[in-house]
Amino acid sequence: PYFPNNITPKEATSVPTNGGSSNSHTSSEVPKTSFVEGSLLINEFVSSPAEGTSEFIELYNTTGNTIFLEGWIIQDGSLAKTPLSGVIVSKGFFVIEKPKGSLNNSGDLILLTDPTGKEIDRVVYGEWNGEDALVSAPVKGQSAARVLDGIKDFSVTDTVTKNNPNVI
């Protein structure tokens, strides 16, 4: 004989997504993972785009694993936060088009934090709050990029390589 499944859905509960608290608790809450500094790096950025293009920040995954970007934040010096989502494969690139806020042409801070709020990478370029810059500010149509993908040294280049290996 045939017996159909009789499924009764559980009562819906709310799960906080912004770090806040909720009166209900579910076992499906995913713990936030902390990452090692440098596991994901700011690899290239354009702060003064050429005509017809837009600002972007490119990330590079230095690890041997795929990283899920849910909960990661990219932030500029004005404290404008761009929440990230999606995945970045091992040794792969991820591009944030038109991040919130605006990267200042003369200099700024770009900060990358993991889902726990831990600083994973930061780049100061040009003139920014008296901090030592890793690289000068790129001018219109140029990018600032790591000389080798995932390596600390930055340089300004005329060859914008969004979502591809850097060419200096």
Side-chain angles (χ1 to χ4, degrees):
Y2 172 73
F3 297 101
N5 290 333
N6 185 7
I7 300 172
T8 304
K10 290 183 177 180
E11 184 176 315
T13 58
S14 65
V15 176
T17 58
N18 61 358
S21 62
S22 172
N23 289 336
S24 59
H25 176 74
T26 66
S27 60
S28 64
E29 291 182 44
V30 178
K32 294 179 179 178
T33 304
S34 181
F35 287 80
V36 175
E37 186 177 325
S39 53
L40 199 57
L41 292 175
I42 299 158
N43 199 55
E44 181 180 14
F45 62 90
V46 168
S47 58
S48 182
E51 209 58 44
T53 65
S54 59
E55 286 185 357
F56 74 84
I57 300 168
E58 176 190 81
L59 304 178
Y60 180 76
N61 180 350
T62 65
T63 75
N65 300 309
T66 295
I67 295 177
F68 293 85
L69 295 173
E70 195 68 37
W72 287 76
I73 302 281
I74 201 89
Q75 177 178 313
D76 71 4
S78 73
L79 306 181
K81 295 180 179 180
T82 303
L84 306 181
S85 63
V87 298
I88 181 170
V89 298
S90 170
K91 310 299 181 203
F93 304 97
F94 184 88
V95 174
I96 301 112
E97 295 277 353
K98 299 179 186 174
K100 291 188 183 189
S102 178
L103 297 176
N104 294 320
N105 293 349
S106 60
D108 210 334
L109 162 72
I110 305 171
L111 179 66
L112 176 66
T113 56
D114 74 7
T116 68
K118 178 181 174 185
E119 183 178 305
I120 301 302
D121 194 23
R122 74 186 281 129
V123 172
V124 174
Y125 67 92
E127 300 285 328
W128 180 253
N129 282 356
E131 291 191 41
D132 291 333
L134 286 175
V135 65
S136 58
V139 297
K140 192 167 200 66
Q142 293 181 325
S143 74
R146 293 185 187 270
V147 175
L148 294 172
D149 296 312
I151 304 298
K152 283 287 184 195
D153 294 334
F154 264 89
S155 182
V156 172
T157 178
D158 291 326
T159 308
V160 177
T161 59
K162 180 169 54 175
N163 217 22
N164 287 291
N166 292 341
V167 176
I168 305 295

